[in-house]
C-alpha cells in the first residue's frame, strides 16, 4: 500500500515542479496535489530561482533541458539559495555530466522520462520521511547537549584555560569573554553573540591549538562529555560545532574559522 501525505495544509510538503512541457508539468502537479502536497509549478529556470529565493520549498522537481537556463545550473543556484532544498531530477536527456552534478548536489533521485506519477510520488514520500527522521535525530542530539550543559558544573567539568595558552586572537577579529560566555566579532559593526558552556569550551580547545586537527573524542573530553557511546558523542559534538558556525561564521555553509577534516575532526583556522 502506497504511503500518502495528509490533505493540503500548512504542514503538508511544499513542492516546486520545474518543466517547460505543459503536458508533463501540469499532470505531475495535479497528481501530487491530489496526494496532499502543496505544489507550485513554473516553466523556466529564472522563474524557479525567483520562487526558491522568495519562498520555502521542501523539494524541487526539475527537468534538465529548459529554455534559457539548464537544469544543471538551476540545481546549482537553487542549492546556493537553499542548502537544505531536496532535489529530484526528472529528464528525458540524461548525461554523465548532469548525473555527476546531481550526485555532488545530493539530489534525492535521478529519474528518466517517461516516469509513472506513482513512482515519482514514492521517491518524494521516501525523501520526506528520511528528512523527518534526520530532524528527529537532530532534535534528540540537541536535547542531549542541552541536558549535558544543564548537568555540568563548569568550574569542575571543563578544564580552565591555561594562562600560558590563552586563545590567540583571529587577527584581532574574534575575542572571547569566557566568564560571560560571549564571543565578540570585531566586524563592521562589531557583533556580540552568547555561547553555551559547551560551545565556548570547544571553541577554547580549538583556539588553543590553531591549525591542529582535534578529533571528536578530544573535543568531547575538553567539554567534559564522558561515558557516552560513540554515536552520541559524535552527534553532540557535530551539533555544537554546527551551532558555533551559525553564530560565528559569515557563511556557515563555507566555514572559514572552524574547518572540517573529513574522517579526522576539526581545526581552528586563524588566517
Amino acid at each position: 500500500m502506497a504511503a500518502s501525505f495528509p490533505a493540503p495544509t500548512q504542514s503538508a510538503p511544499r513542492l516546486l515542479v520545474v518543466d517547460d512541457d505543459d503536458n508533463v508539468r501540469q499532470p505531475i502537479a495535479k497528481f501530487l496535489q491530489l496526494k496532499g502536497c502543496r505544489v507550485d509549478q513554473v516553466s523556466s529556470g529564472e522563474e524557479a530561482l525567483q520562487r526558491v529565493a522568495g519562498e520555502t520549498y521542501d523539494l524541487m522537481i526539475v527537468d534538465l533541458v529548459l529554455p534559457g537556463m539548464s537544469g544543471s545550473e538551476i540545481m546549482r543556484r537553487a542549492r546556493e539559495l537553499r542548502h537544505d532544498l531536496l532535489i529530484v531530477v526528472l529528464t528525458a536527456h540524461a548525461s554523465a555530466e548532469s548525473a555527476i552534478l546531481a550526485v555532488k548536489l545530493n539530489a534525492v533521485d535521478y529519474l528518466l522520462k517517461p516516469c509513472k506519477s506513482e513512482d515519482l510520488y514514492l521517491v518524494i514520500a521516501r525523501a520526506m520521511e528520511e528528512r523527518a527522521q534526520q530532524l528527529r535525530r537532530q532534535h534528540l542530539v540537541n536535547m542531549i547537549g542541552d541536558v549535558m550543559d544543564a548537568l555540568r558544573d563548569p568550574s569542575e567539568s571543563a578544564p580552565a584555560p591555561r594562562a600560558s595558552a590563552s586563545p590567540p586572537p583571529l587577527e584581532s577579529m574574534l575575542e572571547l569573554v569566557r566568564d560571560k560566555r560571549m564571543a565578540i566579532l570585531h566586524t563592521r559593526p562589531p557583533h556580540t553573540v552568547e555561547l553555551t558552556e559547551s560551545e565556548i569550551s570547544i571553541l577554547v580547545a580549538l583556539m588553543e591549538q590553531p591549525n591542529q586537527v582535534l578529533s571528536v573524542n578530544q573535543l568531547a573530553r575538553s567539554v567534559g562529555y564522558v561515558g557516552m557511546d560513540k554515536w552520541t558523542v559524535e552527534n553532540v559534538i557535530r551539533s555544537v560545532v554546527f551551532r558555533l558556525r551559525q553564530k560565528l561564521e559569515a557563511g556557515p555553509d563555507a566555514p572559514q574559522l572552524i574547518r572540517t577534516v573529513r574522517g579526522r575532526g576539526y581545526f581552528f583556522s586563524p588566517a
Side-chain angles (χ1 to χ4, degrees), residues 226-237:
V226 294
M228 294 190 294
D229 63 88
K230 180 180 178 182
W231 181 90
T232 302
V233 168
E234 289 180 351
N235 283 278
V236 168
I237 296 302

Side-chain angles (χ1 to χ4, degrees), residues 12-13 23 42 48 51 60 75 91 98 126 154 158 161 183 211 263 265:
N23 294 325
V42 296
R51 290 294 188 98
M60 178 176 71
M75 285 193 291
T91 184
S98 62
R126 283 195 297 267
N211 294 316

Side-chain angles (χ1 to χ4, degrees), residues 84-251:
D84 59 345
L85 177 68
L86 298 173
I87 298 175
V88 172
V89 175
L90 180 60
T91 184
H93 304 278
S95 69
E97 180 184 2
S98 62
I100 291 171
L101 179 61
V103 171
K104 288 182 178 179
L105 293 175
N106 294 318
V108 171
D109 215 326
Y110 188 96
L111 303 176
L112 299 180
K113 297 178 182 178
C115 174
K116 294 181 180 179
S117 296
E118 190 67 33
D119 291 341
L120 173 61
Y121 169 71
L122 289 174
V123 166
I124 295 170
R126 283 195 297 267
M128 294 305 302
E129 177 57 28
E130 290 175 4
R131 167 67 58 82
Q133 290 178 2
Q134 290 173 358
L135 292 176
R136 286 193 291 268
R137 286 194 295 267
Q138 187 60 51
H139 178 66
L140 175 61
V141 167
N142 290 341
M143 287 179 61
I144 292 172
D146 291 342
V147 169
M148 294 298 294
D149 275 345
L151 293 176
R152 289 180 57 227
D153 180 350
S155 64
E156 297 178 359
S157 307
R162 299 183 297 275
S164 59
S166 57
L170 177 65
E171 300 294 336
S172 301
M173 177 181 169
L174 178 61
E175 176 186 350
L176 294 184
V177 185
R178 179 157 187 168
D179 58 340
K180 295 183 179 180
R181 295 196 309 193
M182 294 192 321
I184 303 173
L185 293 164
H186 293 290
T187 53
R188 297 182 181 178
H191 180 55
T192 300
V193 296
E194 295 183 2
L195 303 174
T196 67
E197 187 64 31
S198 295
E199 290 166 357
I200 202 164
S201 296
I202 284 182
L203 190 55
V204 167
L206 290 167
M207 293 180 71
E208 283 183 340
Q209 302 181 68
N211 294 316
Q212 295 187 36
V213 178
L214 299 184
S215 69
V216 167
N217 287 333
Q218 288 175 302
L219 291 174
R221 287 195 294 271
S222 74
V223 183
Y225 291 160
V226 294
M228 294 190 294
D229 63 88
K230 180 180 178 182
W231 181 90
T232 302
V233 168
E234 289 180 351
N235 283 278
V236 168
I237 296 302
R238 285 173 183 157
S239 178
V240 175
V241 170
F242 175 79
R243 296 200 307 265
L244 277 171
R245 285 171 170 167
Q246 292 291 108
K247 293 179 178 182
L248 301 177
E249 301 279 6

